[in-house]
Amino acid sequence: MSSKNAPLLQVIYVALLVYILVQIYLSGVFIVTDKKSMSNLENNEQYDSTKMYSQARLINMKMNRDNTDKSRDLEDTPERRNSPGVHSRHRKRYTRGSEFALNNLNTKRIEASNTDKVIKESNEPHNFKSHVQQTEISLPLVGRSKPISIETFPRELTFKYGAFNMAEPNCVDEEDLEKFRKHPLNVELMQQSAEQLRGVIRIIDNGIFNKSISRSNCGWKSPFDEIKSENLSSTAAVHVDILCPLIVPGGSSFQHFLDGILPKIVQALDLLRNKGVKILIPLSRDVIILEILEALGIGKDKILFHAGRIYAARKMIYTCITPPLHPTLWQNAHKLMNAPEKLPVPREEAYIILLTRKQSHNGGRNMLNQIEVLAFLEKRYRKDRVIVYPGRYNLTTSVSVFGRARVLIGVHGGALYNLNFASSDVSVVEILPSDGAGNPIPPGIAHSIFWSMCNMLNQSYWRIYNKAETRNGDVIVDLVKLDRVLDRIDQHF
Ligand SMILES: *[C@@H]1O[C@H](CO)[C@@H](O)[C@H](O)[C@H]1NC(C)=O
Ligand SMILES: *[C@@H]1O[C@H](CO)[C@@H](O)[C@H](O)[C@H]1NC(C)=O
Ligand SMILES: *[C@@H]1O[C@H](CO)[C@@H](O)[C@H](O)[C@H]1NC(C)=O
Ligand SMILES: *[C@@H]1O[C@H](CO)[C@@H](O)[C@H](O)[C@H]1NC(C)=O
């Protein structure tokens, strides 16, 4: 080594040393803050929700940094996660809700049928068809004027939801319909297995929830061993009186709150309305989640954001086993969010809404000719009736704008979840980026979710298979096809 290089090397050493010190300092700060939040959580039984929120956010930031809380991407929606390996043919069953005091919830698909209730007090979850017994309780537990007392609730209630029909999408031509029919997931979703129509609510005394030992995703296939019954020392865990854990992957986003968490809440809502109940959910990324929960009577004081701790409760409510997609659950959720059942304005005054992916977290699937599409719509309909969705609304605005929609048009993506605020008079046009054979692009997207949701809400669903221009699924919207779809919608809907 020549002495000429020595000063340069010294500079490098010093730079390295400074870098290492900064790193140690930074990680130290994170660890200290983290520990402080953790002990605050432990020592504070009466949670202040605002404080709780900022603490959870801090811990969440740390978790994100460590990359332990990877959010679920779009392809991982209930129907995909839950698609059964074995298809058992269902027997046709109908259910009827009890006489609901609140707004006649739950009357749509369940009229003129019998209540089918099963109660079970034993420990054999896999054998749920046995021990059939009639009771006064029917699921979903929603819409009663008073909560159902948890103290007298059976240890386990199993319920069979009614079978329902899935209608095929509306397509411009046979070719598109054939593309739809060819996909195995679509074929599978046209049928429901008995397992997919099963709901279970279990109450566990002295329950412990320890997410780190549970790899389950709080879905309808979850094993019951997610929650143990055991007494912990008072300092070892976050203690609450009654807790309902709903740790669904991706549940921090609006989309996966709607498809992963909300149906489970609806299944058990009248139980969750008991005094002292808290729900445990992933830290909400989107504020609208808290607004929806508020509308359901679950205020901020009843929400605990998961901070990776061990949670102990005198009574634990386990409601993860809920049908992944069921009209009763979705229509009740729809009503509870105050979304209108029918278009509240005359047809001519209703909106045509163009959904953009402006605020999307995933990128891709953009309309490359959005300006032309907008001009086309404004020419076809009155200009003041066409709305371009800006990417975010609060719950009130969502319900008032999407509730007045006659047509929603969008490329496959999270914005289409807003159909949940629209009435059953809406027509939803999903533009699905695909290759010539109809395979969705990118391949992993949950291509059947919006078709399924429209079926849940009895909305008219239209699919346009549109050639993808890029591997991200960017499209030049086929205006000829769109024109033909809108002709049919305007004639018939
Ligand atoms: C669904 O909507 C159609 C037409 O809007 C209506 O005739 C039908 O009764 C509805 N079905 C249910 C189950 O609500
Ligand atoms: C929770 O799970 C972790 C990871 O498996 C384990 O180390 C810990 O002992 C568990 N705690 C309780 C109270 O079960
Ligand atoms: C926990 O403690 C309660 C009250 O002290 C007791 O009744 C119960 O049996 C205990 N449960 C377990 C699983 O040890
Ligand atoms: C929702 O957003 C609208 C429009 O930005 C605003 O006027 C309204 O006050 C908001 N409502 C709530 C409850 O935040």
Side-chain angles (χ1 to χ4, degrees):
M1 198 187 295
S2 77
S3 62
K4 225 173 36 189
N5 281 341
L8 180 61
L9 274 174
Q10 266 172 10
V11 168
I12 291 173
Y13 285 144
V14 170
L16 247 160
L17 197 66
V18 168
Y19 176 71
I20 289 167
L21 283 174
V22 165
Q23 283 303 309
I24 288 170
Y25 175 71
L26 278 179
S27 59
V29 164
F30 267 100
I31 289 160
V32 169
T33 322
D34 217 5
K35 275 203 183 125
K36 201 159 143 251
S37 318
M38 290 289 192
S39 70
N40 279 349
L41 289 183
E42 270 169 28
N43 300 333
N44 190 4
E45 294 227 0
Q46 279 316 103
Y47 300 108
D48 166 350
S49 62
T50 327
K51 214 160 101 197
M52 189 57 212
Y53 186 83
S54 53
Q55 284 169 350
R57 186 172 280 292
L58 242 159
I59 293 165
N60 211 48
M61 266 161 57
K62 169 85 164 63
M63 280 157 87
N64 281 339
R65 236 168 47 101
D66 296 347
N67 219 5
T68 51
D69 189 27
K70 282 201 208 90
S71 71
R72 186 152 57 96
D73 40 341
L74 248 182
E75 65 249 45
D76 191 17
T77 52
E79 97 249 31
R80 180 166 284 263
R81 230 182 317 143
N82 300 331
S83 63
V86 187
H87 311 213
S88 56
R89 286 209 127 240
H90 59 262
R91 279 188 297 132
K92 209 167 174 63
R93 286 194 203 90
Y94 299 92
T95 58
R96 182 200 183 85
S98 54
E99 290 301 315
F100 290 147
L102 197 81
N103 300 332
N104 283 328
L105 279 164
N106 198 5
T107 55
K108 223 177 164 186
R109 281 185 190 251
I110 30 183
E111 49 207 10
S113 53
N114 302 312
T115 315
D116 188 356
K117 293 156 297 194
V118 184
I119 242 205
K120 201 169 76 62
E121 287 268 12
S122 72
N123 305 315
E124 308 113 359
H126 300 297
N127 212 7
F128 70 93
K129 278 176 211 147
S130 59
H131 309 283
V132 177
Q133 204 184 310
Q134 292 295 315
T135 77
E136 289 311 306
I137 301 169
S138 65
L139 289 170
L141 300 180
V142 59
R144 287 162 185 78
S145 52
K146 277 201 219 150
I148 294 174
S149 167
I150 190 160
E151 308 303 335
T152 55
F153 197 80
R155 275 199 290 146
E156 186 174 309
L157 183 69
T158 300
F159 184 80
K160 296 185 188 91
Y161 285 79
F164 55 91
N165 292 324
M166 292 280 285
E168 286 187 325
N170 298 291
C171 292
V172 265
D173 50 31
E174 279 297 312
E175 199 185 324
D176 272 10
L177 193 55
E178 276 313 309
K179 286 175 182 168
F180 171 85
R181 286 176 176 159
K182 244 180 37 199
H183 202 287
L185 181 59
N186 296 336
V187 178
E188 190 179 302
L189 282 165
M190 298 290 290
Q191 293 285 335
Q192 310 98 40
S193 65
E195 204 194 357
Q196 280 167 286
L197 296 171
R198 178 174 71 129
V200 180
I201 293 179
R202 188 184 262 213
I203 310 293
I204 298 131
D205 290 331
N206 299 310
I208 304 288
F209 179 79
N210 183 0
K211 177 65 187 164
S212 49
I213 55 164
S214 144
R215 291 278 151 246
S216 123
N217 288 334
C218 190
W220 62 280
K221 287 169 151 186
S222 289
F224 283 95
D225 57 14
E226 192 158 48
I227 293 168
K228 288 191 293 192
S229 185
E230 153 184 341
N231 288 333
L232 274 191
S233 74
S234 56
T235 53
V238 175
H239 286 257
V240 282
D241 187 33
I242 308 166
L243 186 72
C244 177
L246 292 160
I247 306 303
V248 175
S252 58
S253 72
F254 163 61
Q255 296 95 292
H256 299 309
F257 170 80
L258 278 183
D259 67 21
I261 296 181
L262 191 53
K264 294 171 183 112
I265 289 180
V266 171
Q267 170 165 283
L269 190 60
D270 284 345
L271 207 47
L272 301 181
R273 281 182 169 151
N274 271 282
K275 229 174 153 211
V277 175
K278 286 185 194 291
I279 62 166
L280 181 68
I281 55 172
L283 178 66
S284 305
R285 183 191 76 193
D286 301 319
V287 176
I288 196 168
I289 295 174
L290 304 181
E291 297 172 337
I292 294 171
L293 287 170
E294 181 92 52
L296 267 63
I298 302 178
K300 290 200 180 93
D301 59 323
K302 299 190 108 192
I303 302 169
L304 217 50
F305 293 115
H306 188 240
R309 303 284 292 135
I310 293 157
Y311 296 85
R314 182 176 63 86
K315 282 183 184 290
M316 201 73 90
I317 302 172
Y318 188 76
T319 184
C320 286
I321 299 176
T322 297
L325 284 162
H326 197 281
T328 304
L329 296 169
W330 287 70
Q331 286 172 21
N332 277 314
H334 187 257
K335 196 143 204 164
L336 288 161
M337 294 189 293
N338 298 315
E341 200 169 334
K342 293 272 147 206
L343 202 52
V345 291
R347 228 168 154 263
E348 314 73 62
E349 287 173 33
Y351 297 138
I352 310 295
I353 303 181
L354 180 64
L355 302 167
T356 66
R357 290 179 46 75
K358 222 187 207 159
Q359 303 238 8
S360 154
H361 289 260
N362 292 328
R365 282 171 276 133
N366 292 302
M367 280 184 191
L368 299 177
N369 58 340
Q370 190 175 313
I371 292 165
E372 285 85 351
V373 176
L374 182 59
F376 164 81
L377 291 175
E378 286 182 343
K379 191 163 163 229
R380 187 180 170 104
Y381 302 99
R382 266 178 44 205
K383 197 168 174 172
D384 63 337
R385 292 283 151 248
V386 179
I387 290 181
V388 181
Y389 174 57
R392 195 151 299 173
Y393 284 148
N394 60 26
L395 179 61
T396 320
T397 310
S398 297
V399 167
S400 68
V401 175
F402 287 104
R404 274 181 70 166
R406 192 164 80 74
V407 186
L408 298 185
I409 302 163
V411 180
H412 175 95
L416 276 162
Y417 272 84
N418 286 299
L419 65 84
N420 283 284
F421 303 121
S423 73
S424 61
D425 293 324
V426 80
S427 295
V428 176
V429 183
E430 178 180 10
I431 296 160
L432 189 67
S434 52
D435 65 13
N439 300 307
I441 291 180
I445 58 177
H447 55 90
S448 49
I449 188 70
F450 303 116
W451 162 62
S452 300
M453 290 195 299
C454 285
N455 264 290
M456 297 302 109
L457 297 171
N458 199 23
Q459 295 167 338
S460 133
Y461 171 83
W462 299 76
R463 174 169 303 174
I464 294 177
Y465 285 89
N466 202 114
K467 182 172 152 275
E469 299 297 323
T470 65
R471 289 202 341 236
N472 291 337
D474 294 333
V475 292
I476 296 171
V477 176
D478 183 337
L479 289 177
V480 176
K481 266 187 167 177
L482 183 59
D483 193 37
R484 281 168 63 202
V485 164
L486 293 174
D487 278 348
R488 279 178 59 194
I489 289 174
D490 291 346
Q491 270 167 29
H492 300 291
F493 295 90

